[in-house]
Amino acid sequence: MTWLASIRIALRALRVNKMRSSLTMLGIIIGVAAVIVMIAVGAGAQARVEDQIKNLGTNLILLLPGSVTSGGARMGSGSRVTLTEDDAYAIQREIELVQAAAPQLRGGGQAVAGSNNWSTIFYGVTPDYFEARNWVIAAGKGFEPSDIAGSAKVAMLGETVVQNLFGEADPIGQVIRIRKVPFVVIGTLERKGQSLMGQDQDDVILMPITTARNRVLGSGGRQRNAGAIFVKVREGADMSEAESQIRSLLRQRHRLQPGQIDDFTLRNLSEVLSAREESSRIMTLLLAAVASVSLLVGGIGIMNIMLVSVTERTREIGLRMAVGARARDILSQFLVEAVTLALIGGLLGIALGVGGSFAIGHFAQWRTELNLEAIALAVGFAGAIGVFFGFYPARKASRLLPIEALRYE
């Protein structure tokens, strides 16, 4: 008997018991759909973390000023200004592993453009800031060295600020006021989205660091203090070694003696993001493993129904053997039935899983990523379950003795 004939007989047998076949396939349908949905949800979470890594900047080390002790109480990080622009330039100049080091000053205030106003955060930065943070200019131009040297009153706007101050109008060349200081908008920034802490990274205005210090914050130009320094390490370089060299250089520049604690804080953001990415990957695998249990339950259901089918069709098996059917023909017939049940359930599960993934993304506003490999794996697993759980009933049917099968009542 050919495989085509086995498939035809299997489909006819499944049609005879439509309700039973449907209920048997239900376990496989739910299992495949659950695997696809769980992997899609997990992959979406992992993709979101990867976007955050890209938006924040790769191989990034953040330097923050140290703490100060007052009355025996140690204040938090940044309570004492200990970093300067010169520290950033020294890091970039003297450490070969560093690609860019960008000092930053931070402030907040009301930005006004015409009749519109918006409360936002502004940063005083240098041209290296864009390279360190992987921030792309969407329109216009960036800061020139002359803007830094001359404390030019120019600014670049994030997408959120543009929408609130100008709407759909072109902001390039327009004048805005920040703390009553007029600025000419020379460029806009590409969208970055939310940070790890949920902060809108596009709700920002960038200006030359000297302008922020001298004209807006009014902190004076002699000390050249920096509120933070973003350090981008070269691709493929050892982050731990870069950290060690940066720490040694800053301790030397700040004249810290052995045993004294650092007057700055060093954070490797790539490690934090990598740990979060690994957590998302593990969660994806865990969700897929939990969903796979449904497939196993469906496989057990297939085995149960196939054993019942063998018992019900014992006389039929005996008749077929009596007219010349071989054991392998009986084996293939019941094995094909089990695999057919699993594969049909797998195909229906794909439709349910894909639809469920889109529904979650649309109604729950949760990012999902459909993975063709995951879909193929789920269906392949369903077929394997059909073979695994269908083999024992098929083997039992093929080993029946014709005479005993014909006598069976």
Side-chain angles (χ1 to χ4, degrees):
M1 186 173 64
T2 64
W3 281 100
L4 185 61
S6 297
I7 294 174
R8 190 164 54 246
I9 293 173
L11 291 175
R12 185 167 62 245
L14 294 178
R15 283 198 301 268
V16 171
N17 298 287
K18 293 180 181 179
M19 180 60 70
R20 188 170 71 183
S21 299
S22 300
L23 293 175
T24 303
M25 287 188 294
L26 190 60
I28 298 296
I29 293 172
I30 294 174
V32 171
V35 169
I36 292 173
V37 170
M38 291 300 100
I39 291 180
V41 170
Q46 191 169 351
R48 184 176 179 183
V49 172
E50 290 174 354
D51 288 345
Q52 290 176 336
I53 293 174
K54 181 179 178 181
N55 290 335
L56 182 61
T58 56
N59 300 336
L60 195 63
I61 294 175
L62 175 61
L63 291 170
L64 297 172
S67 61
V68 64
T69 301
S70 177
R74 294 187 63 191
M75 305 302 174
S77 176
S79 56
R80 181 161 62 103
V81 178
T82 56
L83 298 177
T84 66
E85 287 184 55
D86 294 331
D87 288 333
Y89 300 144
I91 290 172
Q92 185 166 342
R93 182 177 61 251
E94 299 182 26
I95 299 179
E96 293 183 358
L97 299 179
V98 171
Q99 181 175 337
Q104 169 192 285
L105 281 176
R106 183 181 186 274
Q110 206 76 10
V112 180
S115 59
N116 297 324
N117 68 89
W118 181 250
S119 179
T120 186
I121 296 172
F122 62 84
Y123 292 116
V125 300
T126 64
D128 292 327
Y129 183 81
F130 299 94
E131 181 178 4
R133 291 294 311 277
N134 282 0
W135 215 326
V136 180
I137 299 172
K141 63 177 183 177
F143 301 133
E144 302 290 340
S146 58
D147 296 329
I148 307 297
S151 300
K153 291 184 284 187
V154 293
M156 302 185 69
L157 310 183
E159 184 180 90
T160 301
V161 178
V162 172
Q163 291 297 321
N164 284 280
L165 291 183
F166 297 100
E168 299 300 323
D170 184 7
I172 306 298
Q174 301 294 322
V175 176
I176 64 173
R177 290 183 175 274
I178 305 171
R179 295 191 179 182
K180 300 182 180 180
V181 179
F183 285 83
V184 176
V185 179
I186 63 171
T188 59
L189 303 167
E190 276 198 358
R191 185 178 184 276
K192 266 186 175 286
Q194 290 186 346
S195 66
L196 290 173
M197 303 303 294
Q199 179 185 358
D200 184 2
Q201 297 184 90
D202 302 306
D203 190 4
V204 65
I205 297 175
L206 301 184
M207 63 183 67
I209 190 169
T210 51
T211 307
R213 180 186 297 113
N214 301 331
R215 300 181 184 274
V216 182
L217 297 176
S219 57
R222 288 187 176 182
Q223 294 183 350
R224 294 163 58 87
N225 293 327
I229 298 176
F230 288 89
V231 180
K232 182 176 183 179
V233 179
R234 296 187 187 279
E235 191 70 29
D238 188 340
M239 294 291 290
S240 299
E241 179 62 23
E243 286 184 47
S244 177
Q245 292 185 22
I246 292 171
R247 178 173 282 109
S248 297
L249 177 61
L250 288 181
R251 287 185 62 86
Q252 179 184 354
R253 288 182 54 83
H254 296 181
R255 295 182 175 86
L256 298 177
Q257 300 299 318
Q260 281 187 277
I261 62 173
D262 295 338
D263 62 353
F264 55 89
T265 301
L266 190 150
R267 295 178 182 172
N268 187 341
L269 300 183
S270 296
E271 287 184 357
V272 176
L273 292 171
S274 296
R276 184 164 177 176
E277 184 180 19
E278 181 66 15
S279 299
S280 297
R281 189 181 68 84
I282 293 174
M283 183 60 65
T284 301
L285 294 177
L286 179 62
L287 291 173
V290 172
S292 298
V293 174
S294 300
L295 283 174
L296 294 177
V297 173
I300 294 172
I302 288 177
M303 176 183 281
N304 182 45
I305 293 302
M306 293 307 298
L307 287 172
V308 172
S309 180
V310 169
T311 302
E312 290 180 345
R313 296 158 62 187
T314 300
R315 286 180 62 83
E316 174 193 332
I317 295 170
L319 287 172
R320 293 192 61 204
M321 287 182 170
V323 296
R326 293 165 296 183
R328 66 182 184 184
D329 295 329
I330 304 299
L331 177 68
S332 65
Q333 176 189 344
F334 282 91
L335 193 58
V336 166
E337 284 188 27
V339 174
T340 302
L341 275 173
L343 289 180
I344 292 176
L347 294 176
L348 294 175
I350 288 177
L352 181 61
V354 171
S357 298
F358 281 116
I360 290 175
H362 179 72
F363 294 107
Q365 297 298 312
W366 185 275
R367 181 171 177 176
T368 57
E369 294 280 340
L370 283 174
N371 191 326
L372 294 179
E373 293 181 358
I375 294 175
L377 179 64
V379 176
F381 193 36
I385 282 178
V387 173
F388 181 79
F389 287 98
F391 182 77
Y392 175 73
R395 185 168 177 268
K396 181 179 179 182
S398 67
R399 289 193 168 188
L400 289 174
L401 297 175
I403 295 178
E404 293 182 0
L406 288 171
R407 287 177 179 176
Y408 184 81
E409 294 293 339

